[in-house]
Amino acid sequence: MKHKIIIIGTGNVGSALNKGLARARYEVRAVKKGEIAGNVSWADVIVLAIPFGAVQDVARELKTAADGKIVVDVTNALTPEMQLAMGFTTSGAEELQKALPRAHVVKSFNTVFAQHMSDGLVAGQQLTVFAAGDNETARNVVLELGKAIGFDAIDGGPLQNARQLESLGYFNIQLGYVLGNGTDIGFKLLH
């Protein structure tokens, strides 16, 4: 049985993930902030495709509705000045786990530009997506979602490794926008 997925966020990231997961025949609902309460009980996977600054507000709106569910943190932990918001001692995903202690938070998809999230490809080449979370079952579900979309999905280990994934996402943004490589780039782990 395929998982039921709610995507909180209907922007570029949420729309691309919705398209890829729907194409892979998952039941997906996309909602905006404020529409969460009436929809989240239906799903067993919650995807946060929202700006980093909205994460704590959404966590408060979710409250106990996320208990026992997989929460996929797709956010880039950046300040309004586009600097890395966290560093070596914690990550946005770890802080989200503290806010939702009975949910299973997994950091994933944040190292990929939005336009590649619907198929996992750049110029016909498969991109790598990582999943980091403390619950192995939840991590495996997110890896399954990544594979279904078309990514080479790699286990990123415990949630503490979200610190590196958030840095890698920031580096991807730097490469694409600041250093002028554009968004038709991505990471591939050779294995």
Side-chain angles (χ1 to χ4, degrees):
M1 184 170 144
K2 291 201 173 192
H3 295 280
K4 293 178 179 177
I5 303 163
I6 186 168
I7 299 174
I8 301 172
T10 57
N12 293 337
V13 170
S15 297
L17 286 172
N18 189 346
K19 181 179 177 182
L21 291 166
R23 190 189 72 250
R25 302 197 187 279
Y26 284 92
E27 280 189 75
V28 185
R29 290 184 187 172
V31 299
K32 297 175 184 173
K33 190 178 164 209
E35 301 173 338
I36 297 168
N39 289 287
V40 81
S41 62
W42 165 84
D44 49 358
V45 178
I46 302 165
V47 176
L48 298 186
I50 56 177
F52 177 68
V55 169
Q56 290 304 316
D57 287 341
V58 169
R60 280 190 289 279
E61 191 174 341
L62 284 169
K63 298 179 186 170
T64 59
D67 288 1
K69 297 181 186 280
I70 299 166
V71 177
V72 186
D73 178 9
V74 184
T75 65
N76 285 306
L78 302 176
T79 66
E81 297 79 29
M82 296 299 289
Q83 297 297 314
L84 196 58
M86 306 281 170
F88 298 109
T89 59
T90 192
S91 65
E94 289 170 283
E95 296 305 307
L96 177 61
Q97 183 69 77
K98 289 176 189 173
L100 301 171
R102 290 176 294 285
H104 306 294
V105 174
V106 178
K107 186 73 177 189
S108 192
F109 298 105
N110 70 300
T111 60
V112 178
F113 284 117
Q115 70 257 34
H116 308 301
M117 288 185 186
S118 64
D119 62 10
L121 302 172
V122 169
Q125 294 187 51
Q126 188 180 43
L127 295 173
T128 299
V129 72
F130 302 95
D134 289 337
N135 183 284
E136 184 178 358
T137 301
R139 223 172 37 239
N140 286 333
V141 167
V142 176
L143 291 170
E144 169 192 309
L145 299 178
K147 287 176 187 173
I149 289 172
F151 288 98
D152 176 27
I154 301 293
D155 190 332
L159 191 59
Q160 180 176 332
N161 289 343
R163 299 170 193 179
Q164 285 74 38
L165 292 181
E166 289 176 3
S167 294
L168 188 60
Y170 177 66
F171 186 54
N172 192 43
I173 291 166
Q174 291 292 306
L175 287 171
Y177 292 116
V178 178
L179 298 174
N181 291 294
T183 57
D184 283 330
I185 61 172
F187 297 113
K188 172 73 177 162
L189 179 68
L190 299 177
H191 56 102

